[in-house]
């Protein structure tokens, strides 16, 4: 009997942030369940965090390796300091990653790297291995990033914070978004000077990622079809396979991603509290894994939410508040009547809970697409990167909520929370329900994301078989 051919081997390289690691680990599990051999390469720092949380123990069929990120162990790697990783990793990690790939007993058929880890595309090319790129942002965010240099040349960058033209539409017309994106809505790096290293980094990474053989993106055709079509003018192939978390739930109902344990310790006590609350009565609040709030910002949100007289569940990371070791006692004491303060919560379950009626969010893409899939309207308060684009699209393009970027006063927050939770805007309620249905349908067998995912798997198998044929001839 002939020996069974080995499964195609894929190496996945996420950028070391919670919002990047989570979707790429879900992708790893989906590929593994499709009979592909998967190796995930995390940084040493994040690998230790995953191991501590048991995230690598239950990931059957997935191998985990790690490499250093070039930063000292005591580096915080949160908030604005996470930007240090952008420059340390390409310089320090690239040769180590190349050595790791070169030493593998089973050379990969393909490398899938985070779009801001584009050095992996160079490494793959040097080793004769195909590379695909994964974008953790929306298609709109990806499309805007591909035009940053054009925006610089047109004078739309830098955006001058507080200037009268922040609400003006862009001078350079980005196809498909001509009447949607204002200067205020551009990624926060667009408020920097054109020669700023962070802006130049994003421009260079976007340019380099276009050299990949395909773009994989965590969105779905029914949400962003026109923009996805534009992205196909840049990449040879685009696979819109989101919402990824819903894809996994579709394969295994009532089961979460077995390998995507949070890098932050998760608390589940909030679920019992939610079970005791009336339907659609709770505002869920979370600003993601990296945002930092000043005490002043925190107190404005708190007063606005308390004054709205709505029930709320607020996920507050231990490191959310700048220069504060703990949540202020006055905040804790004043929330006992209608609120519940938690740490890092199981967000997918929270959003899908019947008691939750709305989401006050930073509009990170994971949070946004999880909210869309769960059918929950949003109040967007973005802070940086693509969050500003997402929040604008939530209101202006998709009619899924209210964009309150650059606003942080208690009276506005109180008013907006009431508007959202009381369903005063019927078009938002209608759009939210319809897009939730389309999101769920997209990942079911025959749906757009399911078809795209199967095409991705087939493309990887073809790369594997082509490599085997070439090796046989040699």
């Amino acid at each position: 009997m002939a020996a069974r051919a080995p499964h195609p081997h894929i190496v996945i390289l996420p950028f070391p942030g919670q919002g990047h690691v989570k979707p790429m680990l879900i992708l790893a599990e989906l590929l593994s369940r499709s009979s592909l051999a998967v190796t995930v390469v995390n940084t040493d720092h994040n690998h230790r965090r995953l191991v501590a949380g048991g995230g690598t123990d239950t990931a059957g069929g997935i191998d985990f390796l790690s490499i250093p990120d070039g930063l000292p162990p005591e580096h915080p790697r949160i908030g604005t300091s996470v930007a240090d990783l952008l420059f340390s990793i390409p310089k320090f990690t690239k040769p180590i990653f190349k050595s790791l790939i070169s030493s593998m007993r089973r050379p990969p058929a393909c490398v899938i790297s985070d779009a801001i880890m584009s050095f992996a595309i160079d490494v793959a090319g040097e080793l004769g291995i195909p590379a695909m790129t994964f974008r953790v942002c929306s298609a709109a965010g990806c499309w805007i990033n591909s035009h940053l240099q054009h925006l610089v040349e047109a004078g739309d960058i830098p955006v001058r914070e507080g200037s009268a033209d922040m609400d003006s539409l862009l001078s350079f017309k980005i196809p498909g978004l001509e009447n949607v994106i204002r200067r205020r809505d551009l990624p926060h790096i667009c408020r920097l000077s054109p020669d700023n290293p962070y802006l130049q980094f994003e421009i260079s990474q976007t340019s380099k990622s276009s050299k990949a053989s395909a773009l994989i993106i965590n969105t779905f055709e029914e949400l962003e079809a026109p923009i996805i079509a534009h992205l196909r003018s840049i990449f040879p192939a685009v696979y819109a396979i989101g919402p990824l978390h819903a894809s996994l739930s579709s394969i295994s109902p009532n089961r979460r991603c077995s390998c995507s344990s949070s890098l932050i310790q998760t608390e589940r006590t909030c679920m019992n509290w939610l079970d005791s609350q009336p339907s659609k009565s709770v505002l869920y609040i979370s600003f993601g894994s990296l945002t930092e709030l000043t005490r002043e910002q925190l107190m404005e949100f708190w007063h606005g939410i308390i004054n709205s007289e709505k029930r709320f569940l607020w996920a507050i990371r231990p490191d959310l508040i700048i220069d504060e070791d703990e949540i202020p006692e006055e905040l804790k004491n004043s929330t006992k009547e209608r609120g519940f303060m938690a740490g890092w919560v199981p967000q997918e379950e929270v959003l899908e809970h019947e008691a939750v009626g709305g989401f006050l969010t930073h509009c990170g893409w994971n949070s946004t697409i999880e909210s869309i899939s769960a059918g929950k309207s949003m109040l967007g308060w973005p802070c940086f990167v693509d969050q500003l684009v997402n929040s604008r699209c939530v209101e202006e393009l998709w009619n899924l909520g209210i964009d309150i970027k650059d606003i942080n006063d208690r009276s506005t927050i109180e008013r907006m929370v009431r508007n959202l939770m009381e369903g005063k805007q019927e078009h938002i309620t209608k759009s939210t329900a319809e897009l939730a249905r389309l999101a769920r349908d997209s990942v079911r067998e025959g749906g757009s994301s399911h078809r795209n995912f199967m095409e991705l798997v087939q493309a990887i198998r073809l790369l594997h078989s082509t490599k085997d044929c070439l090796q046989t001839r040699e």
Side-chain angles (χ1 to χ4, degrees):
M1 180 181 294
R4 180 178 297 178
H7 296 310
H9 179 209
I10 311 302
V11 171
I12 293 180
L13 179 68
F15 179 78
Q18 173 69 41
H20 295 250
V21 170
K22 178 180 178 179
M24 294 194 78
L25 285 180
I26 298 177
L27 174 63
E29 181 157 353
L30 289 168
L31 291 173
S32 176
R33 291 185 181 212
S34 299
S35 298
L36 302 180
V38 180
T39 299
V40 175
V41 181
N42 284 306
T43 60
D44 293 338
H45 176 79
N46 279 350
H47 182 71
R48 287 191 292 270
R49 296 170 75 185
L50 279 174
V51 170
T56 61
D57 298 337
T58 56
I62 300 176
D63 293 325
F64 287 88
L65 298 175
S66 68
I67 52 180
D69 61 18
L71 295 178
E74 65 274 11
H75 191 283
R77 296 172 174 84
I78 63 164
T80 56
S81 66
V82 77
D84 294 340
L85 289 166
L86 299 178
F87 302 105
S88 69
I89 287 179
K91 180 179 179 180
F92 187 85
T93 304
K94 180 179 178 179
I96 300 173
F97 181 70
K98 183 175 182 178
S99 177
L100 179 71
I101 298 295
S102 300
S103 64
M104 288 182 169
R105 288 189 298 175
R106 286 190 59 197
C110 179
V111 170
I112 300 176
S113 71
D114 194 299
I116 58 173
M117 302 279 272
S118 67
F119 69 85
I121 299 173
D122 296 333
V123 168
E126 293 165 7
L127 298 176
I129 301 169
M132 299 182 182
T133 190
F134 183 99
R135 264 288 183 183
V136 300
C137 62
S138 63
C142 183
W143 184 232
I144 287 173
N145 282 350
S146 71
H147 291 85
L148 291 178
Q149 185 59 47
H150 296 297
L151 293 171
V152 169
E153 294 167 0
D156 289 309
I157 295 175
V159 175
R160 293 173 176 81
E161 197 158 359
S163 63
D165 64 352
M166 284 190 73
D167 290 317
S168 300
L169 293 172
L170 303 177
S171 300
F172 180 84
K173 303 304 180 184
I174 301 176
L177 297 170
E178 299 93 337
N179 298 313
V180 176
I181 302 300
R182 307 162 299 179
R183 289 186 171 89
R184 184 186 299 278
D185 307 316
L186 291 172
H188 79 293
I189 54 173
C190 297
R191 301 185 185 189
L192 305 173
S193 64
D195 60 351
N196 185 279
Y198 297 115
L199 177 58
Q200 288 302 314
F201 175 85
E202 185 59 52
I203 291 173
S204 68
Q205 291 296 296
T206 300
S207 175
K208 290 178 181 178
S209 68
S210 65
K211 297 177 183 178
S213 63
L215 168 68
I216 304 169
I217 194 161
N218 185 20
T219 189
F220 57 104
E221 299 274 357
E222 290 79 3
L223 181 69
E224 297 192 273
I227 304 302
I228 293 170
H230 284 300
L231 287 171
R232 291 194 172 103
S233 68
I234 300 176
F235 296 92
V238 177
Y239 300 103
I241 59 173
L244 281 168
H245 72 287
S247 293
L248 191 59
S249 297
S250 179
I251 295 171
S252 296
N254 302 318
R255 184 180 173 196
R256 306 290 168 187
C257 176
S258 63
C259 67
S260 63
S261 293
S262 172
L263 298 174
I264 306 170
Q265 188 65 39
T266 302
E267 297 179 16
R268 297 190 56 86
T269 53
C270 65
M271 301 308 295
N272 291 332
W273 181 81
L274 281 176
D275 289 341
S276 67
Q277 304 305 310
S279 174
K280 302 186 185 305
S281 66
V282 175
L283 175 71
Y284 168 52
I285 308 160
S286 174
F287 296 116
S289 60
L290 295 176
T291 300
E292 294 177 307
L293 298 181
T294 63
R295 183 186 176 90
E296 180 183 359
Q297 289 172 325
L298 178 80
M299 298 308 287
E300 288 300 305
F301 273 113
W302 171 61
H303 280 289
I305 292 161
I306 291 293
N307 294 343
S308 75
E309 300 182 335
K310 303 301 178 185
R311 301 168 192 262
F312 63 93
L313 164 63
W314 196 341
I316 298 186
R317 302 185 330 266
D319 54 7
L320 173 69
I321 310 165
I322 299 174
D323 299 328
E324 284 283 351
D325 294 329
E326 295 184 358
I327 301 170
E329 284 300 318
E330 58 182 310
L331 198 161
K332 289 181 181 178
N333 294 333
S334 299
T335 59
K336 292 178 181 177
E337 181 180 351
R338 288 186 302 273
F340 190 98
M341 310 298 292
W344 195 247
V345 304
Q347 181 164 284
E348 292 171 33
E349 294 180 63
V350 168
L351 286 170
E352 291 168 4
H353 199 285
E354 176 63 23
V356 173
F359 185 13
L360 172 52
T361 171
H362 65 307
C363 282
W365 186 240
N366 290 325
S367 293
T368 301
I369 200 163
E370 287 167 13
S371 191
I372 291 171
S373 181
K376 301 298 161 64
S377 53
M378 287 168 269
L379 195 57
W381 191 73
C383 299
F384 39 74
V385 291
D386 63 309
Q387 298 166 13
L388 288 81
V389 176
N390 299 338
S391 188
R392 177 63 169 173
C393 290
V394 160
E395 177 175 340
E396 189 69 17
L397 201 58
W398 304 323
N399 294 318
L400 297 174
I402 306 168
D403 177 16
I404 59 168
K405 65 166 59 78
D406 299 319
I407 294 174
N408 185 226
D409 68 89
R410 62 189 67 182
S411 61
T412 300
I413 292 166
E414 175 188 349
R415 184 174 71 256
M416 294 303 180
V417 168
R418 288 180 182 273
N419 287 344
L420 189 79
M421 296 299 292
E422 294 173 5
K424 294 180 178 179
Q425 296 175 309
E426 293 183 6
H427 67 286
I428 291 178
T429 302
K430 183 178 179 181
S431 294
T432 299
E434 176 62 9
L435 277 171
R437 181 187 67 81
L438 292 173
R440 293 190 294 268
D441 287 349
S442 74
V443 300
R444 294 185 177 123
E445 187 171 357
S448 63
S449 292
H450 181 267
R451 292 195 307 271
N452 289 338
F453 178 75
M454 297 309 294
E455 290 177 9
L456 170 63
V457 171
Q458 184 58 34
I460 293 172
R461 292 188 184 281
L462 182 60
L463 292 173
H464 174 71
S465 61
T466 301
K467 177 174 70 71
D468 283 351
C469 288
L470 291 173
Q471 290 175 343
T472 301
R473 290 174 185 173
E474 293 172 356

